[in-house]
Amino acid sequence: MKKFILRLMAVIIILSVAFAGYGYYEYANANPVSSPETDVLFMETALAPAQSEWNEPVLRGLVYRRFEKTDAAAERNFGAIGRSPAQLYLRLPEGFAGRLRLTTDGAVRDETLRGGDAVFDAEAGDYNLEITGDISKGQGGGYGSFTYRCSFSVEEAEPELLTGKTELAQGDIMSLKLINIPPEITPSAETSLGMAVFTPGGKGVWHAAVPVGNRQNPGSYTISVQAGDRHFETDVSVLPFDFVEQNLTIDVGDPVISEANSPEAYREYREKIPPLFETFDTERYWEGVFDAPADGRVSTEFGTIRYTNGNYANPRSHNGMDIAAPEGSPVRAPNAGRVVMAERLLNTGNTVVIEHGGGLKSYYFHMSRLDVNIGETVNKGELIGAIGTTGYSTGPHLHYEMRIGNKPVSPSMLFSESAGLYSLGVTND
Ligand SMILES: [Zn+2]
């Protein structure tokens, strides 16, 4: 019996040694054969792990042999990969689960990542990218963790000048838009057409509205734009507009009319109104198509060439549009802006002037009353006054004028989306 036990023990020892020997042989000769494809594709270029650890199963997962690897050469610098806004394309190995850390300028973006394709947007900047995660082949298979590192940069987008309609009738407005302008730059424009002020829009965006006044001679004009050290030029064709002619009879003997038409009235007008032509706000308030400020019949069109009491030697241009309506009818702001005048003048009667931004202003004359005060901001549709016949006026009507700087532009064109002002869109971005 004792002998049997000894024999059994000997067999167990021999088998154990043999098994241990086999196990050791297997372990020692194990390779990370079950390791999956571990390269990440970054912008369609393979990126190998900078650090990896793979646990290879031995004896069907009874034990694991760990393989560790550090590969400094795998930490690549891709340099400039494109201009802002760039898209980063990644393809992760199948079964991957981990995180992405995108660092630029001290800001860290942390995102969850899974196997397959992933896309991220990147603004201009210098970036460090680190991807860490695990791949597991499940029960009895290998598992490991991987770290990838690379750096790259995204360049600032190229500044660009966009132009709206470049063939414009007298009275229309030329629209300009600059995009991708670095934050520290304030662009400027120069043209013989008149005032052209850039107002900031969305990120890197600036807008300008350039007048084509009703008296602008038809022909070709140039607008020069400077944005930092970048220079742009664009040509504009001014086409003639067929303005109507009108004979006006005014009873100059009427005492109210003669006061409104007096040298004193014109002196006051010159003192109050033209100085506004020089002013502008560097913020754009208007958005969307302008509404008509009042309901009623257009009794005199914009740009009408007028002869008063048969004086054909001295034609005058009607720089606004007249809207005839019953006394007291509402007058509403056609778009958002800031009230820069609200007072009664001898010639223009109860007068409101609204700055819509960048020097684009609307003028309201002859109203029966004023419903706003200077300095107030108004929204589109807000009541600003009422139809009247104050000042140099022969019946209840609103004289509605729009100007950029000193150049009168057509109010009625601005009621239609086809106006040059809207040819680059109607939102401030
Ligand atoms: Zn008028």
Side-chain angles (χ1 to χ4, degrees):
M1 190 59 190
K2 201 179 173 185
K3 213 180 237 176
F4 172 74
I5 288 168
L6 281 172
R7 272 188 194 163
L8 185 62
M9 280 176 68
V11 167
I12 288 169
I13 288 164
I14 288 163
L15 283 175
S16 299
V17 168
F19 183 73
Y22 170 69
Y24 178 75
Y25 174 82
E26 285 287 303
Y27 186 90
N29 288 285
N31 285 306
V33 285
S34 68
S35 170
E37 178 54 52
T38 57
D39 282 358
V40 165
L41 277 186
F42 175 75
M43 307 303 281
E44 300 185 345
T45 304
L47 184 62
Q51 276 172 283
S52 65
E53 176 204 301
W54 181 251
N55 298 281
E56 182 69 21
V58 179
L59 302 176
R60 298 174 183 238
L62 192 63
V63 286
Y64 286 86
R65 181 166 178 196
R66 175 187 286 206
F67 295 89
E68 285 180 48
K69 195 177 164 195
T70 302
D71 181 5
E75 292 186 30
R76 295 185 55 179
N77 184 348
F78 287 93
I81 58 153
R83 290 191 179 277
S84 169
Q87 286 202 307
L88 310 179
Y89 294 98
L90 287 169
R91 177 167 289 168
L92 286 308
E94 210 178 311
F96 184 90
R99 308 202 70 79
L100 161 147
R101 274 168 66 87
L102 201 52
T103 313
T104 181
D105 235 353
V108 181
R109 192 159 139 198
D110 201 312
E111 306 267 2
T112 305
L113 278 182
R114 300 259 157 225
D117 292 337
V119 181
F120 299 95
D121 292 328
E123 302 286 325
D126 296 322
Y127 288 87
N128 284 306
L129 172 66
E130 184 179 79
I131 296 167
T132 53
D134 302 323
I135 302 173
S136 172
K137 300 195 112 181
Q139 196 73 46
Y143 63 92
S145 59
F146 302 87
T147 301
Y148 307 84
R149 290 191 196 98
C150 71
S151 53
F152 60 91
S153 62
V154 175
E155 291 178 307
E156 294 282 358
E158 223 20 70
E160 233 181 291
L161 175 70
L162 310 178
T163 55
K165 245 180 13 181
T166 54
E167 286 196 351
L168 299 128
Q170 290 167 317
D172 208 347
I173 293 173
M174 168 79 183
S175 194
L176 301 173
K177 183 176 181 176
L178 284 164
I179 58 169
N180 307 327
I181 302 301
E184 68 278 8
I185 286 170
T186 300
S188 60
E190 200 56 55
T191 170
S192 63
L193 288 168
M195 177 182 276
V197 176
F198 275 101
T199 55
K203 192 167 180 286
V205 172
W206 293 79
H207 296 276
V210 185
V212 178
N214 55 334
R215 306 283 294 274
Q216 193 69 49
N217 286 327
S220 184
Y221 297 84
T222 301
I223 304 174
S224 299
V225 172
Q226 199 68 36
D229 56 6
R230 299 295 301 264
H231 185 80
F232 303 92
E233 274 189 5
T234 182
D235 287 333
V236 178
S237 290
V238 173
L239 311 173
F241 186 89
D242 196 11
F243 296 111
V244 294
E245 298 196 1
Q246 186 190 54
N247 285 298
L248 198 65
T249 308
I250 297 276
D251 179 3
V252 290
D254 183 301
V256 177
I257 288 293
S258 64
E259 194 202 10
N261 201 24
S262 65
E264 169 61 12
Y266 287 107
R267 191 195 57 74
E268 184 196 45
Y269 178 91
R270 283 195 304 273
E271 186 186 300
K272 297 276 190 175
I273 300 289
L276 292 174
F277 300 161
E278 311 300 319
T279 69
F280 54 85
D281 285 6
T282 51
E283 184 182 342
R284 187 182 123 174
Y285 307 111
W286 71 269
E287 194 146 29
V289 174
F290 278 70
D291 290 337
D295 292 333
R297 178 179 64 87
V298 176
S299 52
T300 308
E301 296 281 2
F302 165 76
T304 297
I305 295 154
R306 264 179 172 174
Y307 305 98
T308 304
N309 294 342
N311 184 357
Y312 291 99
N314 188 20
R316 306 272 300 265
S317 268
H318 185 241
N319 291 326
M321 80 188 291
D322 287 347
I323 303 170
E327 174 116 14
S329 305
V331 175
R332 299 181 185 283
N335 214 318
R338 189 173 72 85
V339 177
V340 293
M341 176 181 278
E343 66 177 273
R344 186 166 183 144
L345 303 183
L346 291 168
N347 182 257
T348 57
N350 282 317
T351 301
V352 166
V353 180
I354 299 174
E355 161 77 23
H356 298 284
L360 175 63
K361 289 185 183 67
S362 51
Y363 298 73
Y364 312 80
F365 297 166
H366 313 306
M367 292 192 290
S368 65
R369 60 166 205 267
L370 301 169
D371 287 328
V372 285
N373 294 303
I374 188 164
E376 278 177 23
T377 55
V378 288
N379 294 316
K380 188 191 271 191
E382 211 172 304
L383 195 65
I384 59 169
I387 298 276
T389 185
T390 56
Y392 187 39
S393 167
T394 55
H397 78 288
L398 175 72
H399 174 92
Y400 176 49
E401 194 166 305
M402 289 208 71
R403 288 177 184 259
I404 297 174
N406 64 349
K407 303 287 185 179
V409 290
S410 169
S412 57
M413 277 186 197
L414 292 183
F415 303 155
S416 156
E417 270 179 58
S418 60
L421 182 64
Y422 312 130
S423 52
L424 287 169
V426 294
T427 57
N428 193 15
D429 54 22

